[in-house]
Amino acid sequence: MTHEPQVATTTFAKFEQEHILPIPENKRTGTPWSLFAIWVGLNMMPLAVVTGAVASSGYGLTIGWSILAILVGNVIGAIGAALHASQGPHLGIPQMLQARAQFGFQGGSLFAVIALVMFLGFFASILIVAKDALAVVFPELNGSLVIVVFAVIGVVLCVFGYDLLSKTMVYMSVLIGVTVAVTMALLWMKPEVTAERAEAAFSFEGLFGMLAIGIVWQLAYAPYVSDYTRYLPKQTGPKSAFWSTYLGLVGSSVFVMTLGVLLGAANVASPLAALSDHLGWIGVIALIVFAVTSALINSVELYSAVMNALTVLQSMFKITVTAGTRVLTTLVCGAIATLVALLGQGDFMTTFESFLSLLLYVLIPWSAINLADYFIVRKGHYVVADLYMRDGGQYGRWNRVGLISYAVGLAAQLPFMVTPLFTGPLAAPLHNLDLAWLVGFAVTAVVYLLLVRFSSSEAAGAPEKSQAPLTPPAGTH
């Protein structure tokens, strides 16, 4: 049995011991406010600014249409993320570990790998954009060195775990929120910023393209929202988890992306540079704040990458996951993501847009299956202990219903896909409107529910009606 070091109980933050295990009720120190602060702070970064700038600088939309597309996309996408978040207080486990209930003990690891790659990609992306923000102010700085330093900061925070991360995010959300509010207010008073460019115009392709980006921005949070809501006391309930997550995600995303729209309209080539170009020393301070705080915020991405890496390791090997395992995995994941950032400093925005498109297509079917299973099929009744058994318990090692439904959902999106590498045959008749996400979600959910209904209880992984225990049996972790 492991014990928390005594020094950890007297310092600013406790060293995390639970890793991918269920969080006991007596260690659930989260609150709706701390959860809200996590999602507000996580969006208050240069990456969100650059993503918002895609509307005005990439798609060439007017400022008004850009903001509308961002608003609608985030409002829709955050519903899915918040529904996933509402599962955390009840089950007390990481989000993607729960995929074992829909896809089996081994099958769930496939989706943990997908989520792992996604989080490492975001960690690397944030490092690059934070470096770019600082480079606007200090162009003589060694960009690779900046990336490494920022990565080390994120890794150190992640090593301590949830408690330090949540406390850091509370302070960061306030600091960056004030910074964004001041810069946006000043930019709205600049006629040279708010005046529409001659080439700016409405287009359905731009509107639906940005709508899809807003949706995937929010849906990208879905694989790890329960990593944090699992720290809410069970009596707090799913409703508080849902609204704390939803309001935090939508409010901050729309707020910061709107700043990006203004900066993209002001400087198509380099939106971040527009801060210093139009706001002088205030813009310089904003860039420094963005860059430095991103190094702190980025630790949240790495934390969830580690949760998924541990889930994969436990699925593949007969290992006992300990706090030491979590720390070692943190160091390895941080090193890999940092290397990706160092190698990917070139044509970043083109690569990032392709990355977002790919994320949307692979996450949509998983999200549809998880939500249908949790809210319609099982109605929240899971045997948590079985999720840690190597034979999968009642969920099995491979659940063909979930895997087949996922494959069908992916295939249903193919004719509608719009990516730099591939455009589906039905995309052109629709003027390249990206509707693949909508088709994929609907088809996947319907197929999964039909297969569950017409499959045997064992193959479908029928829900237990008894109350799910919160701790796995001894020897299964």
Side-chain angles (χ1 to χ4, degrees):
M1 181 176 179
T2 59
H3 297 274
E4 290 182 2
Q6 289 298 314
V7 65
T9 62
T10 58
T11 55
F12 175 70
K14 297 178 182 179
F15 183 84
E16 181 178 331
Q17 300 287 341
E18 282 69 40
H19 41 82
I20 61 173
L21 292 175
I23 306 301
E25 190 67 26
N26 62 355
K27 292 188 177 182
R28 295 192 180 192
T29 57
T31 64
W33 161 242
S34 66
L35 185 64
F36 176 81
I38 285 175
W39 304 123
V40 168
L42 192 55
N43 280 309
M44 297 286 186
M45 57 183 176
L47 188 60
V49 176
V50 172
T51 302
V54 171
S56 52
S57 63
Y59 287 114
L61 292 171
T62 63
I63 292 176
W65 282 112
S66 295
I67 295 174
L68 178 63
I70 287 171
L71 175 63
V72 174
N74 281 278
V75 164
I76 294 174
I79 294 175
L83 285 173
H84 288 289
S86 68
Q87 303 166 15
H90 176 59
L91 298 176
I93 60 177
Q95 188 75 64
M96 294 310 292
L97 190 140
Q98 191 201 123
R100 293 173 177 175
Q102 293 97 45
F103 303 99
F105 186 86
Q106 297 292 345
S109 65
L110 299 176
F111 300 89
V113 169
I114 292 173
L116 170 62
V117 172
M118 181 190 77
F119 293 130
L120 293 180
F122 271 115
F123 185 83
S125 300
I126 293 171
L127 289 176
I128 293 173
V129 179
K131 180 266 298 182
D132 290 343
L134 204 58
V136 174
V137 182
F138 306 108
E140 70 280 0
L141 284 180
N142 184 309
S144 297
L145 179 61
V146 172
I147 286 177
V148 171
V149 171
F150 283 174
V152 169
I153 295 173
V155 169
V156 170
L157 286 173
C158 187
V159 162
F160 275 87
Y162 168 81
D163 197 46
L164 183 56
L165 290 177
S166 63
K167 290 175 179 177
T168 300
M169 294 301 287
V170 169
Y171 293 108
M172 291 303 100
S173 63
V174 174
L175 173 61
I176 312 177
V178 171
T179 302
V180 173
V182 170
T183 53
M184 189 180 299
L186 294 175
L187 285 172
W188 276 113
M189 295 187 290
K190 298 278 187 180
E192 65 272 23
V193 172
T194 57
E196 297 287 2
R197 293 179 290 112
E199 62 272 23
F202 168 81
S203 70
F204 281 106
E205 180 181 355
L207 178 67
F208 280 87
M210 200 61 209
L211 184 75
I213 287 178
I215 291 172
V216 72
W217 180 267
Q218 296 297 340
L219 195 59
Y221 290 116
Y224 66 129
V225 282
S226 282
D227 294 1
Y228 300 94
T229 59
R230 67 183 176 139
Y231 284 91
L232 289 178
K234 196 168 185 178
Q235 65 269 22
T236 300
K239 189 173 182 179
S240 293
F242 177 93
W243 286 112
S244 297
T245 302
Y246 186 82
L247 295 176
L249 288 176
V250 173
S252 57
S253 299
V254 173
F255 192 42
V256 180
M257 288 185 185
T258 298
L259 174 62
V261 168
L262 296 177
L263 296 176
N267 190 329
V268 174
S270 179
L272 289 175
L275 275 172
S276 57
D277 291 343
H278 294 278
L279 298 183
W281 64 271
I282 295 179
V284 169
I285 292 176
L287 286 167
I288 294 174
V289 170
F290 269 134
V292 175
T293 54
S294 288
L296 302 173
I297 292 170
N298 208 11
S299 54
V300 175
E301 304 286 355
L302 184 59
Y303 178 81
S304 289
V306 171
M307 293 299 103
N308 284 281
L310 292 175
T311 300
V312 173
L313 287 174
Q314 191 199 50
S315 299
M316 295 177 61
F317 307 104
K318 293 182 179 181
I319 63 172
T320 298
V321 178
T322 65
T325 311
R326 182 182 65 82
V327 172
L328 178 60
T329 304
T330 300
L331 297 176
V332 172
C333 288
I336 293 173
T338 302
L339 179 61
V340 172
L342 291 172
L343 297 175
Q345 299 180 62
D347 191 9
F348 170 72
M349 278 312 298
T350 300
T351 304
F352 183 63
E353 286 181 50
S354 300
F355 178 61
L356 285 177
S357 298
L358 179 62
L359 278 182
L360 179 63
Y361 301 134
V362 299
L363 286 177
I364 279 289
W366 162 80
S367 179
I369 291 170
N370 177 270
L371 295 178
D373 186 67
Y374 187 91
F375 290 102
I376 300 176
V377 177
R378 305 182 194 272
K379 297 179 172 60
H381 292 280
Y382 292 83
V383 178
V384 173
D386 282 17
L387 298 176
Y388 292 85
M389 292 182 175
R390 294 204 64 81
D391 64 358
Q394 66 169 284
Y395 307 110
R397 297 176 67 85
W398 300 91
N399 188 325
R400 66 174 182 268
V401 170
L403 294 169
I404 291 174
S405 301
Y406 183 84
V408 171
L410 277 182
Q413 295 180 95
L414 283 173
F416 302 92
M417 284 184 179
V418 181
T419 71
L421 299 177
F422 171 77
T423 299
L426 296 182
L430 293 171
H431 303 286
N432 285 332
L433 303 184
D434 194 344
L435 299 179
W437 59 272
L438 183 59
V439 175
F441 190 93
V443 169
T444 305
V446 170
V447 169
Y448 182 75
L449 293 174
L450 288 175
L451 288 180
V452 167
R453 181 175 181 179
F454 294 109
S455 296
S456 66
S457 295
E458 181 180 357
E464 290 274 334
K465 296 302 182 182
S466 58
Q467 176 61 43
L470 290 178
T471 56
T476 60
H477 62 278

